[in-house]
Amino acid sequence: YQDFVRRFPKSELAPKALGSLAVLLSIQGRSDQAGEMFKKLHDDWPNDPYAQNIVFVEVRTYLDLGRTNDAVKAATRMLNTPAAYKPEQFYGIADLLLSANMNEEAGQAYTLAMATTNQAMWQAVSVGLARARFSEGKFDLAAKAIDEMLAKHPKSAYTVEANRILARSCAALGAKEGNPEKKEALFGRAIGAMNRALKFVKPTDKKMRTEVELEIAEIYELKGDKPK
């Protein structure tokens, strides 16, 4: 790969050669050299589709190797240059970051992916953003993301999951609320959201129904009431 890049730096195959070389160096633990190759790839071929998509491979490679700091650096480089990427690319990297519990970075990527005009993807991104915010402990922002999604798409493939996240977020906020009236309102929203989720669970999906019913009981317990 090094020989090819040196001999044919302007070849249409150069981006793939640089990317492959960077990944190989990463696997070998040569982080500095790998970073240089990734940087060269992005600097020399900023508009090349492969160069844009390699960030996903770069982050995934670092995560697989347990090198979280390097993964954060790679993701941050992408997040800091949003104009160079498409919403779909931010969505892909966001899911990867969330699976690695890199919630803050995932939230940033989901936020950038919200620019998509694809409504099915927009719903998925909204749910992902809510999950990231919830994992960060930002329950108000998690609830906001779901409220906005459900306002546009109250019935969709994401209705059950969205309402469950909304319920958990409102319950978490209610548990911290000192004002009795606001506390009651938040728990009321939580229970209402979980009941809506239950309505959309298929009768044949006994596992899901049990999970939702248990969550309803947990919310009542957190509130200090018995399930009704």
Side-chain angles (χ1 to χ4, degrees), residues 1-212:
Y1 291 123
Q2 289 176 322
D3 184 58
F4 182 89
V5 171
R6 185 169 53 253
R7 293 177 61 190
F8 309 103
K10 300 300 181 181
S11 168
E12 61 180 15
L13 296 178
K16 290 185 178 180
L18 278 169
S20 298
L21 177 57
V23 171
L24 180 60
L25 290 169
S26 298
I27 294 173
Q28 293 176 343
R30 298 157 70 181
S31 300
D32 291 341
Q33 290 174 282
E36 291 176 5
M37 291 301 102
F38 279 124
K39 186 177 185 305
K40 180 174 177 58
L41 174 59
H42 297 304
D43 290 347
D44 293 356
W45 303 86
N47 299 316
D48 185 86
Y50 178 84
Q52 293 176 338
N53 289 322
I54 195 65
V55 177
F56 182 87
V57 177
E58 182 180 2
V59 173
R60 184 176 59 190
T61 298
Y62 284 135
L63 289 175
D64 288 344
L65 293 173
R67 286 156 46 196
T68 306
N69 289 338
D70 287 327
V72 170
K73 290 179 183 178
T76 299
R77 185 175 62 247
M78 179 181 182
L79 296 172
N80 288 341
T81 54
Y85 301 93
K86 299 176 181 178
E88 292 78 8
Q89 292 169 313
F90 283 115
Y91 177 36
I93 202 74
D95 278 351
L96 183 62
L97 294 170
L98 186 62
S99 68
N101 296 317
M102 296 167 64
N103 301 310
E104 182 179 355
E105 292 80 7
Q108 294 176 38
Y110 282 124
T111 299
L112 291 167
M114 292 288 284
T116 181
T117 57
N118 182 314
Q119 285 303 297
M121 180 179 142
W122 184 84
Q123 292 175 65
V125 170
S126 297
V127 171
L129 176 59
R131 290 171 58 203
R133 296 309 188 202
F134 185 90
S135 297
E136 286 184 88
K138 298 178 179 178
F139 307 122
D140 55 335
L141 295 181
K144 182 175 182 290
I146 295 300
D147 280 336
E148 292 176 353
M149 194 216 88
L150 291 175
K152 290 185 178 182
H153 305 280
K155 298 180 181 180
S156 74
Y158 300 97
T159 300
V160 173
E161 183 178 4
N163 275 288
R164 291 178 75 181
I165 296 173
L166 177 60
R168 294 169 193 152
S169 300
C170 289
L173 290 169
K176 294 182 177 181
E177 180 58 56
N179 183 296
E181 292 183 0
K182 291 181 178 179
K183 185 183 190 76
E184 183 70 24
L186 285 165
F187 274 109
R189 286 199 68 201
I191 294 167
M194 201 61 79
N195 281 328
R196 283 195 300 274
L198 189 59
K199 289 180 180 179
F200 282 90
V201 176
K202 295 179 181 179
T204 55
D205 194 343
K206 295 182 179 180
K207 182 177 181 295
M208 178 66 75
R209 292 190 70 83
T210 299
E211 289 180 1
V212 175

